[in-house]
């Protein structure tokens, strides 16, 4: 028979379980798409309207910023002047862009590029030795009216392609995307930077982007803390991905994610034991073990129920909390290259023919595997992906992901 104190302890934890999983989480998480409690059935049309409204709000803010500053303001004048400097820049940021249509003939395009340019212009006012440019790969370049308009504000380079593109429809658009990417990267390398940041025109940097990026550059990319001392980092790497789709950031079957979940449980189990018994010696080992197990499964179930996508957002509280992990084989909305590897990657891509089974992101991953180099991913994301209107596929993407 259990003693009264043991009964009280178990009742308290059962109450915590019930309050958390039957009351609080259903209320707090019912509109979080990646949570197990997400029950809202949103029609595709309704979701698309929501995303469009959010896009219009961002666009209005971007247009206000452009109007407030103007092409001849100090902000944009400095951006244009940096491209003409003789000194080698530390970083070249190149936004690869092609005209996008809304998918509905009567509606204007989403104007993602305007939002990206305005955000970068705002953030770059505090940065030195960084060159920013837009790479217009539309055919012909004049058909990309948004890029032509923004050329008054920021440097815009255009591609007049004479390179043959396969006529096979399953290869054509993917091969053109690769050729465009190679062209923009080559033009970036002509400026002889230390790093090239290639950004797609639907990836908007977060407001804390440069704060986190500079910290990563100092302590993870160029340097490394060894035994408490900052030393030069001799490691060679292929590239760093600064964005990965949230849909795939949950707890999967990767060993790293499994260990992350187990560690959360171990920490919570320890906290449960300490909060229940303090640091006193409890002779009842069975009781301590039971409390530890209750705490362990409480944390594991909590993580699974809420969704890892939302838990890693807690890392934004400090630049020191961002995680550097091995990058999965997908997606290139925002990728950082060093100049040496960028040149090698350009030559590698020139020898590849991209298609629906080998898009450019998988071709890049093949380079990583063949070279034996590492590719890294920064968590949480340093960019917002806003491109519900795709340049490769007809129609719009799933609104839940935006």
């Amino acid at each position: 028979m259990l003693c009264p104190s043991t009964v009280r302890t178990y009742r308290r934890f059962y109450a915590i379980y019930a309050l958390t999983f039957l009351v609080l989480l259903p209320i707090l998480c019912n509109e979080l798409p990646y949570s197990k409690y997400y029950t809202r059935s949103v029609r595709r049309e309704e979701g698309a309207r929501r995303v469009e409204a959010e896009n219009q709000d961002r666009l209005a803010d971007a247009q206000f910023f452009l109007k407030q500053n103007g092409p001849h303001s100090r902000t944009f004048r400095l951006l244009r002047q940096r491209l003409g400097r003789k000194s080698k820049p530390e970083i070249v940021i190149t936004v690869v862009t092609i005209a996008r249509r809304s998918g509905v003939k009567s509606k204007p395009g989403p104007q993602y590029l305007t939002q990206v340019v305005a955000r970068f212009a705002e953030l770059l006012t505090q940065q030195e030795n960084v060159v920013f440019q837009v790479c217009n790969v539309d055919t012909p370049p004049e058909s990309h009216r948004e890029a032509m308009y923004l050329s008054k504000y920021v440097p815009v380079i255009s591609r007049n392609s004479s390179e043959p593109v396969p006529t096979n429809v399953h290869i054509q658009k993917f091969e053109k995307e690769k050729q465009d990417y190679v062209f923009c990267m080559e033009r970036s390398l002509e400026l002889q930077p230390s790093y090239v940041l290639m950004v797609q025109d639907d990836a908007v940097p977060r407001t804390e982007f440069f704060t986190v990026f500079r910290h990563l550059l100092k302590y993870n990319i160029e340097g490394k803390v060894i035994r408490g001392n900052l030393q030069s980092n001799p490691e060679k790497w292929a590239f760093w991905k600064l964005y990965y789709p949230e849909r795939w950031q949950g707890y999967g079957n990767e060993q790293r994610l499994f260990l992350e979940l187990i560690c959360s449980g171990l920490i919570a189990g320890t906290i449960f034991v300490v909060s229940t018994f303090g640091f006193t010696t409890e002779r009842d080992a069975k009781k301590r073990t039971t409390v530890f197990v209750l705490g362990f499964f409480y944390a594991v179930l909590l993580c699974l129920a809420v969704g890892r996508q939302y838990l890693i957002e807690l890392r934004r509280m400090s630049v020191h909390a961002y995680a550097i992990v091995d990058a999965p084989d997908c997606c290139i909305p925002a990728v950082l290259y060093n100049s040496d590897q960028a040149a090698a990657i350009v030559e590698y891509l020139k020898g590849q023919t991209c298609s629906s089974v080998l898009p450019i992101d998988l071709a890049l991953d093949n380079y990583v595997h063949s070279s034996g180099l590492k590719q890294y991913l920064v968590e949480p994301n340093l960019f917002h992906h806003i491109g519900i209107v795709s340049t490769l596929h007809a129609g719009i993407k799933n609104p839940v992901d935006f």
Side-chain angles (χ1 to χ4, degrees):
M1 184 176 179
L2 297 176
C3 65
S5 63
T6 302
V7 172
R8 286 195 300 270
T9 299
Y10 291 166
R11 283 179 177 175
R12 183 165 68 250
F13 285 115
Y14 294 152
I16 291 174
Y17 267 74
L19 181 63
T20 301
F21 296 106
L22 300 180
V23 180
L24 293 179
L25 292 185
I27 295 173
L28 299 175
C29 301
N30 70 320
E31 292 194 5
L32 300 180
Y34 305 116
S35 166
K36 299 298 182 183
Y37 289 95
Y38 183 67
T39 57
R40 186 179 178 188
S41 178
V42 180
R43 294 182 179 180
R44 193 177 184 87
E45 296 79 7
E46 181 184 345
R49 286 194 295 270
R50 173 187 60 80
V51 173
E52 182 179 359
E54 292 173 355
N55 185 70
Q56 289 302 314
D57 290 340
R58 287 193 306 268
L59 179 58
D61 292 338
Q63 291 173 333
F64 177 77
F65 179 84
L66 295 178
K67 184 178 180 180
Q68 187 181 43
N69 288 274
H72 303 293
S73 66
R74 184 176 182 275
T75 297
F76 290 106
R77 193 171 64 251
L78 287 176
L79 289 182
R80 294 192 298 272
Q81 290 173 353
R82 288 177 184 177
L83 190 61
R85 290 178 182 174
K86 294 183 180 180
S87 60
K88 297 179 182 179
E90 180 186 16
I91 306 166
V92 170
I93 301 175
T94 300
V95 179
V96 185
T97 184
I98 190 170
R100 296 174 188 248
R101 279 72 189 178
S102 64
V104 181
K105 291 183 178 180
S106 60
K107 293 183 179 180
Q111 295 183 269
Y112 298 143
L113 180 61
T114 299
Q115 301 171 48
V116 174
V117 167
R119 176 60 63 82
F120 266 119
E122 183 180 1
L123 297 179
L124 284 167
T125 56
Q126 305 298 322
Q127 301 298 316
E128 296 291 336
N129 207 19
V130 179
V131 170
F132 177 81
Q133 62 183 2
V134 172
C135 186
N136 176 15
V137 295
D138 213 31
T139 307
E142 300 79 27
S143 63
H144 195 341
R145 296 181 180 179
E146 186 181 7
M148 300 305 292
Y149 170 76
L150 291 170
S151 64
K152 299 187 300 182
Y153 292 88
V154 296
V156 176
I157 56 177
S158 299
R159 179 179 185 231
N160 292 299
S161 175
S162 59
E163 193 172 354
V165 177
T167 56
N168 188 321
V169 68
H170 297 292
I171 299 177
Q172 185 180 44
K173 56 187 178 181
F174 293 95
E175 177 61 16
K176 183 183 184 305
E177 182 190 29
K178 183 213 75 176
Q179 293 176 7
D180 293 341
Y181 200 85
V182 167
F183 167 80
C184 296
M185 190 179 288
E186 284 185 311
R187 291 298 300 270
S188 303
L189 290 171
E190 288 177 3
L191 300 174
Q192 298 181 292
S194 299
Y195 302 98
V196 175
L197 175 58
M198 298 291 289
V199 181
Q200 294 179 348
D201 63 357
D202 57 356
V204 179
R206 297 182 64 94
T207 54
E208 71 273 16
F209 170 72
F210 278 109
T211 302
V212 178
F213 177 74
R214 289 293 182 187
H215 178 83
L216 295 174
L217 197 62
K218 182 177 181 180
Y219 293 101
N220 297 93
I221 298 176
E222 294 181 344
K224 200 169 187 178
V225 177
I226 301 176
R227 296 178 181 176
N229 297 316
L230 182 62
Q231 301 179 16
S232 177
N233 187 1
E235 181 185 15
K236 292 184 177 180
W237 43 269
F239 45 79
W240 287 56
K241 294 181 179 180
L242 307 182
Y243 173 85
Y244 187 66
E246 287 85 355
R247 173 181 290 274
W248 299 331
Q249 287 186 339
Y251 293 105
N253 56 3
E254 297 178 42
Q255 181 180 3
R256 172 180 66 87
L257 300 178
F258 178 75
L259 291 176
E260 184 180 303
L261 195 61
I262 294 299
C263 287
S264 299
L266 293 175
I267 293 171
T270 302
I271 292 173
F272 268 49
V273 170
V274 172
S275 63
T276 303
F277 304 108
F279 294 97
T280 59
T281 303
E282 171 62 44
R283 296 181 179 179
D284 191 345
K286 183 177 180 181
K287 184 177 178 181
R288 293 174 67 92
T289 302
T290 301
V291 170
F292 179 85
V293 170
L294 286 172
F296 178 90
F297 282 106
Y298 177 84
V300 170
L301 292 174
L302 182 67
C303 291
L304 293 173
V306 173
R308 182 175 179 272
Q309 293 89 337
Y310 305 108
L311 296 176
I312 62 176
E313 289 294 306
L314 297 174
R315 293 181 176 273
R316 297 193 191 279
M317 292 189 294
S318 170
V319 293
H320 302 280
Y322 279 75
I324 310 300
V325 300
D326 291 339
D329 293 350
C330 169
C331 314
I332 54 170
V335 183
L336 178 73
Y337 305 89
N338 67 48
S339 55
D340 292 336
Q341 286 304 319
I345 287 171
V346 163
E347 293 305 314
Y348 177 83
L349 290 177
K350 286 181 177 179
Q352 305 295 310
T353 299
C354 288
S355 64
S356 57
V357 296
L358 184 65
I360 184 173
D361 53 348
L362 295 187
L364 285 169
D365 292 322
N366 287 345
Y367 170 80
V368 170
H369 299 314
S370 64
S371 66
L373 297 174
K374 300 279 285 184
Q375 58 174 331
Y376 292 106
L377 171 69
V378 178
E379 287 185 336
N381 289 329
L382 295 181
F383 283 77
H384 295 288
H385 189 224
I386 60 174
I388 192 172
V389 179
S390 174
T391 59
L392 291 178
H393 308 285
I396 64 173
K397 302 175 185 176
N398 189 345
V400 172
D401 294 330
F402 296 87

